[in-house]
């Protein structure tokens, strides 16, 4: 019976946050790093560029050589070599000479400026220069992009494509990232069957499984889903196995009364139940416990409650296992209609926020209507003590788009 | 020489958009559907719930049976059966009787209301009812969540976890989605080597490869990356193979002059070059062609140019291959500093937009500094004719976060 010691949402979060997390790391190939979380500093190991190089297709010259040129006083330089990207010229450039050079190619020794191909004429093995150029004109200097020893990224950075590119340039082919947490999911319920058009009397399609595949993936973790009948021994074996193998375990179903609080009883027997019952609507029969040092989140069987419980208590925990510390990013907007909420509960109400109006409209469906998730884009969060929110009054919302870490 | 017929960015986009795309579909297991693009309608195949069911743990009764009850006039009903979720009771309920029922269990025949367990007392095989309940009290009615025949999702929907859950409930174990496009990437450049701290003279680390792995993944597509030296025959063979195997091909390098416009020449020889050179900064030497009915995007060798060319011309094309039609979601904000831009070009300038101030600050780095991607969160887009934007003036930005489809 969880009614005796029902906690509020804040206390529930506190108890979950008290759990001491061990984050794990792994080394991966840089090419697999997109959207992973960096678990090391990136200290530049090589200067980028690694040498002075031409930033243009053109000719490497000595700037002093053409300092007095003009249209009426041109200078002719002899083309003594050519160098493409990836090659080097062995010729040491002297006054009166030019080396044809491609973008990206290393500057020949002796040269200190580039003249763009488009800016000059060449014939008979010579180029005609009609205006001066400054030192290092169109030269990309050694280390100007990345300097050896410079720290460019820190632990905790969520990596995107261009981080990968810069990390490659810094000399890394492998990186250390936080391991994707492995999340064991145990779905309980004798009534649950796979999606089909032929459902036996009394049976229900197991939709939680599919929602959980998705939300766990969106939490950058990996899910391992098992289904289990409402049978104490079998369920207990599943829990024992799951807490051994996975970084966290999520169960659905069996948290309410008539199934004998099956899962809660098992967690109590094997370990410790820290939360059972939260004064929240929907999602009251939420449980949190620890078995064999592994956190076990006990969610309801109802899809609507599962979604809310995951978003309120599980998602940020799973992110934290990867060293992503995320808060509930609530914003305050105006209610477009009266919002019914119970002052003695933490109310999580599906709603539509119209960005351009700055107004939120609660959706009106019966409790338990799973489809409501698709008809809404945010939660209105009405904490204990708030009660009815009148049309035109301020209220706090949590946009679904703010939950996800991209 | 691409300078003769350089196109503007708008015309370039038009020519790319003219390419007739064939979107392909595939059938996948619903569990793999998160973040995929739906390529079918979802018509509900089974009512949800599939039968009237109890929304609470309690007792199924006949509402009329207790219509006159009160504390001073209670009624006792005999508990004749019990039914759990996934089971059905074979007892047809008559007046004077109650059946104990679990949340989610099918309503016994004859019953038309539920009394919550918490609201009554039971002893000696009977329950004591002290107040009336209405018809269908705490009963979830057949089809109240999803009605058979109802269309709940349409082609083109990007699927999230809760779409999967609702699709499962609608009776689908497999769904038709748009195929993830296969993108062949050919990286050219004799100077390119893998990340390492020991780089031979003249060589450069291949960072484009890593950026492209990432941006293609973020475009919900699959990349197949090959590296190729600046050798006409080898490159030609790579192109011939890639256009056969993949839905689109991206090349980097070899679009500028001194490498003899290698890739552009090859595409011209094998098919047709529609764009070569765009009056854009950075990213001028962009090419677009068609070989064997397959689009070939020819990007620069410079990482900064590659990033801009991808974002301006490639990303939305790859999304369109999956039936995602995305526009450049520019917003107008205030410039926090003077923004230098050429009035004869389409200028793409890395910048930082401060959301809370509504002000954008261009970042000041030399061109070609790849690290600048990490120091910025948006592009300022200054189209042809705009020229210098003064501090305090309006300018258009494109946030990096708006490019990605989550």
């Amino acid at each position: 019976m969880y009614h005796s010691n029902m906690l509020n949402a804040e206390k529930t979060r506190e108890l979950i946050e008290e759990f001491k997390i061990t984050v794990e790391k792994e080394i991966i190939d840089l090419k697999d790093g997109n959207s992973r979380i960096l678990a090391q500093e990136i200290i530049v190991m090589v200067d980028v560029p690694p040498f002075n190089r031409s930033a243009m297709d053109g000719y490497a010259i000595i700037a002093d050589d053409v300092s007095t040129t003009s249209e009426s006083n041109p200078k002719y330089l002899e083309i003594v070599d050519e160098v493409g990207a990836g090659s080097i010229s062995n010729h040491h450039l002297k006054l009166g000479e030019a080396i044809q050079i491609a973008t990206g190619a290393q500057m020949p020794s002796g040269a200190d400026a580039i003249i763009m191909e488009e800016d000059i004429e060449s014939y008979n093995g010579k180029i005609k220069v009609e205006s001066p150029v400054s030192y290092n004109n169109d030269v990309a200097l050694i280390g100007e992009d990345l300097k050896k020893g410079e720290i460019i990224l820190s632990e905790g950075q969520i990596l995107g494509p261009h981080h990968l590119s810069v990390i490659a340039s810094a000399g890394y082919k492998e990186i250390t990232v936080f391991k994707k947490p492995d999340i064991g999911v145990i779905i309980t319920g004798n009534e649950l069957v796979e999606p089909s058009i032929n459902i036996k009397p009394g049976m229900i399609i197991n939709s939680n499984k599919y929602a959980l595949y998705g939300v766990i993936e969106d939490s950058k973790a990996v899910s391992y889903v098992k289904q289990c009948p409402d049978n104490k021994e079998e369920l207990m074996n599943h829990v024992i196995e799951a807490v051994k193998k996975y970084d966290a375990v999520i169960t659905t179903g069996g948290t309410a009364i008539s199934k004998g609080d099956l899962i809660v009883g098992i967690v109590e027997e094997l370990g410790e139940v820290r939360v059972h019952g939260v004064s929240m609507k929907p999602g009251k029969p939420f449980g949190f416990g620890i078995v064999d040092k592994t956190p076990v989140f006990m969610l309801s069987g109802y899809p609507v409650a599962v979604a809310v419980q995951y978003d309120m208590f599980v998602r940020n925990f799973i992110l934290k296992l990867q060293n992503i510390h995320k808060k509930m990013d609530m914003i305050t907007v105006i209610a477009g209609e009266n919002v019914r909420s119970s002052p003695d509960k933490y109310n999580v109400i599906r709603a539509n926020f119209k960005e351009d109006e700055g107004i939120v409209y609660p959706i009106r469906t019966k409790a338990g209507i799973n489809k409501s998730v698709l008809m809404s884009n945010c939660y209105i969060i009405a904490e204990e003590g708030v009660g009815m929110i009148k049309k035109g009054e301020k209220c706090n919302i949590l946009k679904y788009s703010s939950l996800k870490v991209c």
Side-chain angles (χ1 to χ4, degrees), chain A:
Chain A
M1 294 289 287
Y2 57 83
H3 301 85
S4 46
N5 56 352
M6 188 127 60
L7 302 174
N8 65 26
E10 198 187 337
K11 183 71 188 162
T12 300
R13 279 206 191 95
E14 265 176 48
L15 288 172
I16 294 170
E17 274 171 24
E18 268 174 21
F19 180 83
K20 264 231 158 75
I21 279 175
T22 325
V23 291
E24 291 175 56
K25 300 174 180 185
E26 60 178 343
I27 294 171
I28 61 166
D29 192 298
L30 181 58
K31 77 173 167 42
D32 301 318
N34 192 38
S35 92
R36 298 298 297 269
I37 320 303
L38 194 60
Q40 64 168 108
E41 270 186 340
I42 298 293
I43 303 170
V44 175
M45 296 200 291
V46 284
D47 284 315
V48 179
F51 40 74
N52 290 353
R53 70 179 174 195
S54 177
M56 289 290 170
D57 291 326
Y59 295 86
I61 61 161
I62 298 165
D64 282 345
D65 215 2
V66 297
S67 58
T68 59
T69 56
S70 65
E71 262 183 67
S72 59
N73 181 31
K75 179 147 190 185
Y76 294 85
L77 303 176
E78 198 188 340
I79 306 169
V80 296
D81 198 1
E82 60 176 336
V83 56
S87 313
I88 48 172
S89 171
N90 292 317
H91 187 95
H92 181 87
L93 197 76
K94 291 180 287 294
L95 291 171
E97 296 177 343
I99 291 177
Q100 190 173 7
I101 192 164
T103 304
Q106 183 163 348
M107 288 293 282
S109 71
D112 61 14
I114 297 293
I115 299 191
M116 269 178 76
E117 198 162 60
E118 293 158 67
D119 292 346
I120 47 118
E121 287 169 61
S122 73
Y123 35 72
N124 293 334
K126 293 189 177 209
I127 61 167
K128 181 186 180 186
V129 183
E130 295 179 317
S131 60
V133 295
S134 51
Y135 293 114
N136 291 328
N137 181 62
D138 286 330
V139 176
L141 296 171
I142 179 168
E144 75 170 22
D145 192 347
L146 300 176
K147 208 154 199 62
K148 194 172 166 173
E150 182 187 357
I151 295 171
I152 46 163
L153 292 169
S154 318
E155 185 173 292
Q157 175 69 50
I158 301 177
L159 299 174
H162 301 296
H163 297 100
L164 303 189
S165 159
V166 174
I167 293 170
S169 293
Y172 294 76
K173 180 143 180 58
E174 292 181 327
I175 48 170
T176 303
V177 295
F178 291 104
K179 195 176 79 68
K180 278 183 182 240
D182 293 317
I183 310 298
V185 176
I186 304 169
I187 309 254
T188 69
N190 291 336
E191 74 281 23
L192 298 175
V193 293
E194 283 298 297
S196 158
I197 53 169
N198 297 308
I199 305 171
K200 281 193 199 150
M203 295 303 188
I204 297 282
I205 290 171
N206 181 356
S207 63
N208 280 331
K209 179 166 109 171
Y210 293 93
L212 286 167
Y213 277 127
V215 290
I216 292 170
E217 184 184 351
D218 284 355
S219 308
K220 297 174 174 287
V222 184
S223 58
Y224 302 84
V225 179
K226 283 268 164 77
Q227 197 167 334
C228 177
D230 296 316
N231 169 298
K232 189 177 168 187
E233 198 184 340
E234 276 191 62
L235 183 52
M236 191 172 242
N237 288 335
H238 272 109
V239 172
I240 291 169
E241 198 192 325
V243 295
K244 259 193 225 138
K245 282 169 111 169
Y246 306 119
D247 300 307
V249 175
I250 295 173
T251 68
T252 70
T255 54
I257 306 160
S258 72
K259 288 179 180 174
D261 287 341
L262 194 56
I263 180 68
V264 181
I266 287 170
V267 170
E268 189 67 63
E269 207 171 318
L270 296 173
E272 185 194 347
V273 172
R274 298 217 174 152
V275 177
H276 184 208
V278 181
S279 55
M280 177 169 86
K281 191 180 170 189
K284 181 173 74 172
F286 169 79
F288 174 68
I290 296 164
V291 176
D292 201 8
K293 293 180 188 158
T294 304
V296 181
F297 295 89
M298 296 165 268
L299 312 189
S300 303
Y302 266 120
V304 169
V306 167
V308 168
Q309 290 164 339
Y310 188 89
D311 287 340
M312 296 300 130
F313 304 127
V314 187
R315 186 186 291 270
N316 285 352
F317 182 91
I318 292 181
L319 291 174
K320 210 164 74 173
L321 287 173
Q322 305 155 77
N323 214 25
I324 302 174
H325 299 268
K326 201 165 170 6
K327 294 244 174 286
M328 296 267 167
D329 294 325
M330 284 199 281
I331 56 173
T332 303
V333 302
I334 301 298
E337 284 173 40
N338 291 344
V339 181
R340 270 172 240 166
S341 79
S342 312
D344 59 336
K345 291 197 177 77
Y346 186 89
N347 301 267
V348 183
I349 301 147
R350 297 202 179 272
N352 269 303
F353 176 55
K354 308 241 161 145
E355 199 86 40
D356 49 341
E357 306 173 13
I359 293 175
V360 67
Y361 300 89
I363 62 170
R364 304 233 169 274
T365 57
K366 235 176 122 171
I369 302 296
N370 194 17
K371 186 173 60 177
S372 64
V373 188
L374 310 189
M375 297 155 60
S376 53
N377 64 14
C378 71
Y379 295 122
I380 294 172
I381 307 280
E383 303 187 15
E384 288 88 344
V386 170
M388 164 80 114
I389 301 165
K390 293 222 178 89
K391 180 178 168 171
E393 286 181 354
K394 284 182 186 173
C395 66
N396 292 327
I397 66 165
L398 186 64
K399 290 198 269 181
Y400 300 160
S401 59
S402 78
L403 294 168
K404 215 172 141 178
V405 175
C406 282

